[in-house]
Amino acid sequence: MKSFLLSLLLLIVPCSLPAQISWSSIKSSAAALYNMSQYKVPVTGRKFTNLIPNDMLYSLCNDQYKKYVQRGRSSNSKYKAQLNRVAGRLRTAVTELYRQEGRSSELSNFHWEFNVLKSSDANAFCMYGGKIAVYEGMFSIATDDASLAVVLAHEAAHAIAKHSAEQMTKDIITAGGVGLAYAFIAGSDMSDRKKSLAKAMAVASATLASLKFSRIDETEADRIGLILVALAGYDPEAAIPFWERMEAKSKLKTTRDWFSTHPSYANRIQNIRSCMPEAKKYYRK
């Protein structure tokens, strides 16, 4: 990562460096940039490099979220009442989690908003900063408050883990890596056939790496989400029958994860079971 940031700096700094700028100062700047851009995910403690400014990404996501809501806000009063009831407890859970980790000052980065959207899809999404939407179709599976808490907590976990910022950073880094690979391949003494194959392999490798990152994010969101469910006063055990109902509804019944951005249902449920003892420690009725 530090070497990538050094390469990034070299793209900005003129090739003919002034005498007062040394290689050591460039390396120091790259190291400083690396250290400043590190983000520690709550609960898991995992660290990653975030090159995306909070304000910029929040502005982009907020504008897009408003368009989704304006186009398709649901008028179902029952669904909206359930959403608001669970969302209030979930926001309190996030506040408590950050208090326990001594990171309450970071709560100002979130601008929570919850909406139900018109659609028969059993789905939900979260945009950067805590903009969450649940489709009407999800309520046929999230039939009680605890199940809906599982859905909202999973989406909120994506927000507090800054997965969207991480993915954008990885896309930037991956694009830079593939660009360098292309430059090497184009300048090498290869046949046209071998060059085409090499380029295809470079793209495939980058794509599979991105898919794997998404699966890692989903698994991390499941773990953090369970703890949020527990802190909100819902039994985290509700996650298991919820995902079993999702599996029964889905046409995708496979344990193969390799070409998917999400874990298979069987693997997801297994991971959730393994995280349950940790989540139970946070549970108070």
Side-chain angles (χ1 to χ4, degrees):
M1 180 61 69
K2 288 184 181 179
S3 61
F4 169 78
L5 293 175
L6 176 58
S7 300
L8 193 62
L9 282 174
L10 289 177
L11 291 175
I12 301 171
V13 177
C15 295
S16 177
L17 294 174
Q20 65 270 26
I21 300 179
S22 64
W23 282 103
S24 61
S25 65
I26 295 175
K27 291 180 180 179
S28 297
S29 297
L33 178 60
Y34 173 81
N35 292 330
M36 286 190 300
S37 60
Q38 289 297 288
Y39 179 72
K40 182 180 179 181
V41 178
V43 177
T44 68
R46 182 177 66 87
K47 293 182 179 181
F48 67 86
T49 299
N50 176 23
L51 300 178
I52 313 299
N54 287 332
D55 292 344
M56 183 188 77
L57 188 53
Y58 175 74
S59 178
L60 291 172
C61 291
N62 188 43
D63 290 344
Q64 191 63 41
Y65 182 79
K66 286 180 179 179
K67 292 178 182 178
Y68 274 111
V69 173
Q70 289 170 356
R71 285 201 304 261
R73 182 186 277 118
S74 172
S75 59
N76 189 305
S77 58
K78 179 183 176 181
Y79 293 161
K80 290 194 290 185
Q82 184 181 1
L83 178 71
N84 291 334
R85 187 168 60 244
V86 178
R89 291 172 62 168
L90 183 62
R91 291 179 66 172
T92 300
V94 173
T95 300
E96 175 59 18
L97 176 62
Y98 273 75
R99 185 196 67 79
Q100 291 186 16
E101 295 208 354
R103 302 172 61 170
S104 296
S105 61
E106 297 179 31
L107 290 170
S108 60
N109 294 326
F110 300 106
H111 307 275
W112 298 102
E113 186 175 348
F114 300 83
N115 282 282
V116 182
L117 301 185
K118 293 178 182 178
S119 175
S120 60
D121 290 344
N123 209 344
F125 66 83
C126 178
M127 290 188 173
Y128 193 79
K131 303 297 185 181
I132 295 175
V134 183
Y135 293 121
E136 290 176 332
M138 179 60 79
F139 289 85
S140 65
I141 300 175
T143 53
D144 54 28
D145 284 8
S147 298
L148 184 59
V150 171
V151 176
L152 297 184
H154 175 85
E155 299 303 332
H158 280 304
I160 68 177
K162 295 190 177 183
H163 285 154
S164 54
E166 180 182 14
Q167 191 61 52
M168 287 185 68
T169 297
K170 286 174 178 176
D171 288 344
I172 291 172
I173 294 172
T174 300
V178 172
L180 291 174
Y182 274 15
F184 171 77
I185 292 168
S188 63
D189 186 19
M190 293 184 182
S191 66
D192 290 341
R193 183 180 178 182
K194 287 184 178 180
K195 286 183 180 180
S196 297
L197 178 61
K199 289 179 181 179
M201 290 178 65
V203 172
S205 298
T207 302
L208 289 176
S210 179
L211 290 173
K212 183 177 181 181
F213 292 144
S214 294
R215 291 195 299 271
I216 290 172
D217 289 349
E218 289 296 323
T219 300
E220 186 172 60
D222 283 340
R223 179 183 170 187
I224 298 171
L226 283 180
I227 290 174
L228 291 177
V229 168
L231 284 171
Y234 300 105
D235 189 345
E237 290 281 358
I240 296 174
F242 167 77
W243 285 111
E244 288 174 343
R245 292 194 296 272
M246 284 288 287
E247 180 179 23
K249 187 177 179 66
S250 174
K251 295 179 181 180
L252 179 62
K253 297 180 181 292
T254 177
T255 58
R256 296 180 63 187
D257 291 350
W258 191 246
F259 295 103
S260 173
T261 58
H262 288 62
S264 66
Y265 286 110
N267 290 342
R268 169 167 253 155
I269 292 170
Q270 181 180 354
N271 289 333
I272 286 173
R273 289 185 188 278
S274 68
C275 294
M276 197 60 66
E278 178 187 31
K280 285 282 193 178
K281 295 177 182 178
Y282 293 83
Y283 178 46
R284 299 290 184 275
K285 293 184 180 180

